[in-house]
Amino acid sequence: MKKVTFIHAADLHLDSGMAGLRHLPQPIFSKLRESTFESLSSIVDAAIAHSVDFVVLAGDLFDAEDRSIRAQIIFIKEMERLAEKGISVFAVHGNHDHMEGSWVHLPLPKNVHLFSNQVETVEFITESQTSVHLYGFSYHSRHVYERMIQHYKKRDGADFDIGILHGQLEGESEHGAYAPFTISELAVKNFDYWALGHIHKRNVIQNEPPIVYPGNTQGRHVKETGDKGCYLVQLSEKGAEMTFINTAPVVWSERELNCEEADSFQEIYSKCLDLIDEEKMTGQAKILILTLQNTDLPPKDAAAIREGELLDLLKEHEAEGEDGFIWIADLLVNERKKWNKEKLMSESAFFAEMFHAAVDLEGIGGSLELLYKHPEARRFLQKQSEDELDSISKEAENLLMQLLYQS
Ligand SMILES: [Mn+2]
């Protein structure tokens, strides 16, 4: 039977600086700084363990266009481990590690094929004589406005055709700076697998034939939650089989704890410890954002939590960052609603106006506009998505309710 087995990963962002996390205890911050490399190492382990035919890396291998020498050397070493096992690598550069950046070029081992800045086709024949055509291109600079998808042309003669594309699936809020494409543009190519990169959230856009964003290989902040890793893919005459493999040494996660039954600080504290113990059973190191739901505590106990005493206690045991640590990065409290927002707004014009002002999405966007227009700041900032604005507005609403409750 004709078949090919490969690993599809993208957005490794090697040597990601983990911006904004320096406040974490040193051992935990160090683990995060090494995590992108560790994840790559686990991907290589998986490729070897499953004796894949090749590995596809769909862009953003490095976090920065001036990729560090250390990042390159670690990458090269990992690629050499694959070379020793006769495993090829097909990689493209994305918007983060585009080819125009200035860096010290270290030669890559021969098993790594890097696609040029034009769409090219590479033929690969497996040991069992299955032929594969791989199509891809690398970003020549940070932005690629061109619809590169139009240059992907299926070449006859292969058992399987795999498209590698670092780019943006077009949706509602697009600006088209990252080799934009639509699902139908991919579908008409009649390929057997689309190995996408660029979007950091894992997403199997379509199953048959697969169109897949594997997501990045290591979460770098609270918005990149959940397991991160790569897909092990097998294409055969029977179709595609995909298995997700978690390779992230540290996972970001959000959890809720229902505190309805808890009457004191102590009870909530022990509930939190139980939750940490439960999380520890998995052995997976985690950075958790914990939300206490429906708390209803005596004022002193509630104040102690609000002022951070509970969070400090929970952090105490984990600051060493030993294997499988559970670090509570933030503790949010949703007090049991004694006051209802809708009721307040309908009864009083003052409250109505206050809530409108605080949670007005357009207002938030408008206030940030100045910042985004600032010539220096705009280089570093990405526009907030509607989801993000939405969560800012929810936070504002919660804060308001809490302030009202305390007054
Ligand atoms: Mn990326």
Side-chain angles (χ1 to χ4, degrees):
M1 187 173 69
K2 299 285 188 190
K3 69 164 195 197
V4 60
T5 311
F6 62 95
I7 272 183
H8 168 204
D11 298 277
L12 288 74
H13 288 262
L14 293 176
D15 213 10
S16 175
M18 301 292 164
L21 298 175
R22 280 189 187 276
H23 61 280
L24 291 173
Q26 188 51 39
I28 292 178
F29 182 68
S30 304
K31 288 226 160 156
L32 275 170
R33 280 294 278 122
E34 291 304 309
S35 62
T36 52
F37 297 120
E38 253 186 71
S39 190
L40 170 62
S41 191
S42 299
I43 289 168
V44 168
D45 288 345
I48 293 169
H50 293 278
S51 309
V52 298
D53 295 300
F54 52 79
V55 172
V56 172
L57 302 176
D60 284 2
L61 316 182
F62 300 98
D63 190 54
E65 56 188 45
D66 60 349
R67 56 216 76 173
S68 64
I69 288 181
R70 176 162 185 261
Q72 289 187 70
I73 285 177
I74 293 176
F75 180 71
I76 288 167
K77 278 203 179 130
E78 294 297 339
M79 297 304 103
E80 280 167 350
R81 283 174 60 210
L82 292 170
E84 279 165 25
K85 303 288 176 184
I87 298 172
S88 298
V89 179
F90 297 98
V92 302
H93 287 305
N95 52 306
H96 270 265
D97 57 351
H98 63 86
M99 296 158 85
E100 243 177 30
S102 68
W103 72 94
V104 179
H105 284 260
L106 300 182
L108 289 172
K110 287 201 173 57
N111 62 322
V112 181
H113 178 86
L114 259 176
F115 288 79
S116 74
N117 61 7
Q118 302 297 323
V119 177
E120 52 171 306
T121 309
V122 178
E123 184 176 46
F124 181 88
I125 314 266
T126 70
E127 272 178 21
S128 58
Q129 299 302 306
T130 298
S131 62
V132 182
H133 282 164
L134 294 113
Y135 308 75
F137 79 95
S138 286
Y139 278 47
H140 55 83
S141 56
R142 181 170 288 278
H143 296 121
V144 173
Y145 295 93
E146 194 183 350
R147 301 192 81 81
M148 294 301 283
I149 183 64
Q150 65 192 349
H151 302 301
Y152 286 70
K153 298 219 165 73
K154 185 166 172 173
R155 233 199 259 166
D156 289 340
D159 297 307
F160 299 104
D161 295 89
I162 298 172
I164 307 170
L165 176 52
H166 190 87
Q168 175 90 42
L169 173 67
E170 281 189 333
E172 317 83 57
S173 60
E174 296 325 323
H175 35 88
Y178 305 103
F181 60 89
T182 61
I183 294 178
S184 54
E185 278 174 309
L186 302 188
V188 294
K189 305 292 175 182
N190 211 11
F191 285 5
D192 300 289
Y193 188 92
W194 278 100
L196 305 179
H198 183 59
I199 302 298
H200 289 186
K201 191 171 162 47
R202 185 162 88 240
N203 187 5
V204 177
I205 293 169
Q206 179 182 296
N207 271 304
E208 273 303 324
I211 300 177
V212 179
Y213 279 117
N216 54 348
T217 55
Q218 168 64 51
R220 299 165 310 154
H221 46 73
V222 62
K223 283 178 208 147
E224 297 182 343
T225 52
D227 290 352
K228 295 281 183 179
C230 61
Y231 275 99
L232 173 67
V233 186
Q234 189 181 79
L235 302 179
S236 73
E237 286 145 32
K238 291 187 214 151
E241 261 178 58
M242 293 184 289
T243 315
F244 178 75
I245 303 171
N246 176 42
T247 56
V250 184
V251 161
W252 293 80
S253 180
E254 289 170 309
R255 275 204 65 174
E256 292 186 354
L257 191 59
N258 188 4
C259 299
E260 232 162 10
E261 317 266 282
D263 299 324
S264 65
F265 181 94
Q266 179 60 38
E267 273 176 60
I268 289 188
Y269 176 46
S270 68
K271 263 176 163 301
C272 290
L273 290 180
D274 288 349
L275 178 137
I276 289 175
D277 283 344
E278 182 195 313
E279 287 284 353
K280 283 205 169 194
M281 304 283 278
T282 66
Q284 167 78 59
K286 272 190 188 154
I287 299 184
L288 269 186
I289 312 297
L290 185 58
T291 305
L292 306 179
Q293 294 288 16
N294 302 313
T295 59
D296 185 7
L297 294 179
K300 278 246 159 65
D301 298 47
I305 293 178
R306 229 174 12 246
E307 284 153 18
E309 287 183 57
L310 176 58
L311 184 55
D312 286 347
L313 273 177
L314 297 174
K315 282 176 169 173
E316 227 163 63
H317 307 289
E318 302 296 318
E320 299 301 316
E322 80 278 14
D323 286 349
F325 67 81
I326 304 298
W327 178 257
I328 312 283
D330 206 359
L331 193 65
L332 309 171
V333 181
N334 278 335
E335 287 175 354
R336 202 179 302 167
K337 294 265 160 67
K338 303 205 161 149
W339 290 6
N340 175 295
K341 180 185 119 193
E342 277 68 35
K343 191 158 175 282
L344 282 174
M345 287 175 74
S346 70
E347 281 172 1
S348 142
F350 169 74
F351 282 126
E353 198 183 320
M354 186 177 72
F355 274 106
H356 275 306
V359 306
D360 166 30
L361 281 181
E362 273 174 23
I364 294 170
S367 317
L368 292 171
E369 205 56 42
L370 271 178
L371 189 58
Y372 288 117
K373 283 190 175 141
H374 188 279
E376 285 299 311
R378 62 188 293 175
R379 289 170 47 216
F380 301 100
L381 292 173
Q382 283 193 329
K383 277 245 168 189
Q384 260 105 358
S385 68
E386 281 196 4
D387 279 356
E388 286 165 70
L389 286 177
D390 209 37
S391 91
I392 294 175
S393 129
K394 286 232 167 64
E395 226 171 279
E397 187 182 309
N398 276 337
L399 198 60
L400 256 185
M401 289 305 285
Q402 275 180 35
L403 288 171
L404 281 174
Y405 178 58
Q406 283 164 38
S407 60

